[in-house]
Amino acid sequence: MRLPLLCTALLALTLTPPAAVLHAQTQPPLLALSEVVTLTQSDPAAALAKLDQVISQMPQDDARLTFDLFEMKAQILRDLGRTLEAAQTRAQLAVFAAGNRERLDIDPVPIWAAAAALFEEGGDLATARDALGEMKQQQRENGASADQLDATQAQIDRLTLALGEDVKEPLFAADNSTRGAFGTGGTAEYTEVDVYYATDRARSGETDPGAFYGYARGALDYGIATVTIPKIHQQGIVDAPSIWKLEFSENPAKHVVLQSITPVAVDAFFGAMSRELETRGADAAFVFIHGYNVAFDQAARRAAQIAYDMKFPGIPVLYSWPSRGSTAGYIADTAVVRLSGRRLSRFLDDMIDRSGAGTIHIVAHSMGNRALTDALELLALRRGLGSGSEPVFDQVLFAAPDVDADLFAEMMPTIRPVAKRLTLYASEQDWALATSKQLHGDAPRAGQGGGDMITRPEFDSVDMSLLGDDMLAHSYFADDSSALADMVALFWRNAAPNLRCGLEPVVEDGTTAPIWNYTPGSCSERALMAVLAHMQSEGVSDSAAARQILASTIADAATAEALQPVVDRLLSE
């Protein structure tokens, strides 16, 4: 490859010890990035100079911020007509993404494709071919289909001929090396999870599943995303290649991989969902709405991971709004998310009326809560729901909501009738919310815990601050199995906080609705998740049957004995 020395410098960042990432204290310069974004429209050269200044001041152990800043740089270089420099930057980003998959959760394949296109546009056909070769290697290790590999090889062959060289194998020859290499969900290496999705992202025109949907606004699209979960998967982790294990690309036997996307018409979508629930003998679905700085493929894999870890008996459903999937895209995300809320509201109406699910849970994360709160408020008003109305949803979980705290509280009386229970998960360690507070005139966000934690009688307030600082990703609610165990208890039994494990009330004078602090590690959470999932699947409703499940699920007698009172409390209502 003809990549410059900066590639080596970027790769050096992959060697930053994980502990340094977890304990860095510098907040991302979103205000400065907003200035860069504004300048790109009027003065790209000035934007590039400002961006270089931001890069020189950025924390050197934040892989996501590093990636996003250099991605911005590549786009500005392209806008300035400095095509080969933009191509080089894209190639560096692909190498950086491959070396940081555990932290970035970004597929290098579409980045190599973009780099190759730019090299070709700039007249460097040899390096364009090299980039496609790197792309094909990534695809092969990802478990890409033979058709995808053939299409990449066709591009390599085309450039080879354009360079006046002979093709060393039959033109556009089928690559048989991976045909049948990965089977369906019954293999010993991984399990397939189908995530039903609705999105108002526009299709990108790419065929690769990881890049099928971009960040442009589009009409509501429906489909099924197939995600593979490795059998060696650990609960609560979206497995990705680790440089510490000398892994640089996805493998379905080791990593959570988005394997395919199948768009379907709306009638077929709900028909398929209803038939699958009937086939499974299940009656439940949960809808996941992702947050800021999340691409479609990341959201699909996250929804699959949550369903798999919880052993959810029903269907996982993703609603994906057009987040740019970039740190620098915060302002753009704020501009589009509330439009998506209107579309989400209608989609939730359809879930109620057409999905065949009698029990529907909703989990929204970060800025996705702006879409959800708008959607639920509109739905409640449209359906005339009020005090005494039959709830149309079971559990609604607001995880780290990036919503103005006062607005959130004002919306709750209208939203409360839509669900059996509303739960707020918050953290005082959340960087993104702290930065959002700055951007919004120091107005507290609903997802902030600690001294800023809000409480109202309409919802349960759970402070997850002790789970630690999760930095920009701020996905503690899905990344830590203890929070997932709490979600299982909610989904299964609609359990009040006093009946769930690890929650202790913090009652302040004059407060009728306490804040509940979560203490991680107090409930043998991984074992508890397995037990609760087993009991849910068996329809357990009494302590005697629960004891039998505990004995058959938990080999360690002491752990089983410790979990018995936890289970008894859940079954007490």
Side-chain angles (χ1 to χ4, degrees), residues 165-452:
E165 301 175 12
D166 293 331
V167 175
K168 296 180 180 180
E169 55 185 275
L171 193 65
F172 306 165
D175 187 323
N176 293 311
S177 61
T178 60
R179 290 191 189 275
F182 302 107
T184 57
T187 73
E189 294 183 317
Y190 65 84
T191 300
E192 287 186 352
V193 177
D194 284 339
V195 177
Y196 285 69
Y197 71 81
T199 182
D200 54 340
R201 295 175 183 266
R203 298 185 191 183
S204 67
E206 299 288 338
T207 58
D208 184 272
F212 192 86
Y213 289 104
Y215 58 77
R217 306 181 190 190
L220 204 56
D221 212 9
Y222 303 83
I224 300 173
T226 299
V227 177
T228 53
I229 311 284
K231 294 296 178 66
I232 63 172
H233 165 73
Q234 297 181 49
Q235 286 178 347
I237 302 296
V238 177
D239 309 86
S242 168
I243 190 169
W244 308 104
K245 301 174 185 176
L246 301 181
E247 300 168 349
F248 295 93
S249 57
E250 289 182 321
N251 183 328
K254 298 179 180 179
H255 312 124
V256 177
V257 180
L258 175 59
Q259 292 285 3
S260 65
I261 290 177
T262 307
V264 296
V266 58
D267 291 340
F269 174 84
F270 286 108
M273 188 182 297
S274 181
R275 288 191 298 273
E276 183 168 344
L277 284 169
E278 185 175 355
T279 299
R280 292 189 186 190
D283 187 43
F286 79 81
V287 180
F288 173 61
I289 303 115
H290 62 79
Y292 142 73
N293 198 8
V294 176
F296 179 90
D297 65 311
Q298 294 169 308
R301 286 183 280 126
R302 176 64 75 188
Q305 172 251 312
I306 293 172
Y308 182 87
D309 285 352
M310 294 174 66
K311 294 181 173 59
F312 185 67
I315 292 176
V317 181
L318 166 67
Y319 188 92
S320 182
W321 52 280
S323 168
R324 286 182 173 259
S326 166
T327 305
Y330 186 89
I331 302 301
D333 281 4
T334 63
V336 73
V337 66
R338 298 195 71 175
L339 172 61
S340 294
R342 271 64 183 161
R343 295 165 176 172
L344 173 61
S345 185
R346 293 296 182 184
F347 174 69
L348 292 176
D349 265 332
D350 283 343
M351 282 294 300
I352 296 165
D353 298 334
R354 306 179 64 182
S355 69
T359 300
I360 301 172
H361 311 293
I362 306 175
V363 181
H365 181 217
S366 180
M367 196 182 289
N369 283 280
R370 298 193 194 186
L372 179 61
T373 49
D374 281 355
L376 293 180
E377 188 175 50
L378 290 169
L379 184 148
L381 294 171
R382 190 165 56 245
R383 288 179 173 257
L385 300 179
S387 178
S389 298
E390 184 71 19
V392 291
F393 302 115
D394 196 281
Q395 302 300 311
V396 174
L397 279 59
F398 306 101
D402 183 3
V403 181
D404 182 275
D406 290 339
L407 176 61
F408 186 85
E410 286 292 328
M411 299 173 86
M412 285 302 111
T414 303
I415 290 173
R416 179 64 190 93
V418 307
K420 289 183 179 179
R421 185 179 301 277
L422 307 178
T423 301
L424 167 66
Y425 285 129
S427 174
E428 66 175 334
Q429 303 294 335
D430 196 306
W431 277 25
L433 293 180
T435 303
S436 177
K437 181 180 177 181
Q438 284 186 334
L439 289 170
H440 291 87
D442 211 34
R445 317 313 290 164
Q448 290 183 285
D452 288 325

Side-chain angles (χ1 to χ4, degrees), residues 40-59:
T40 57
Q41 307 300 317
S42 58
D43 192 345
L48 183 61
K50 179 67 176 179
L51 181 58
D52 283 337
Q53 179 184 354
V54 173
I55 289 173
S56 69
Q57 299 171 353
M58 71 181 180

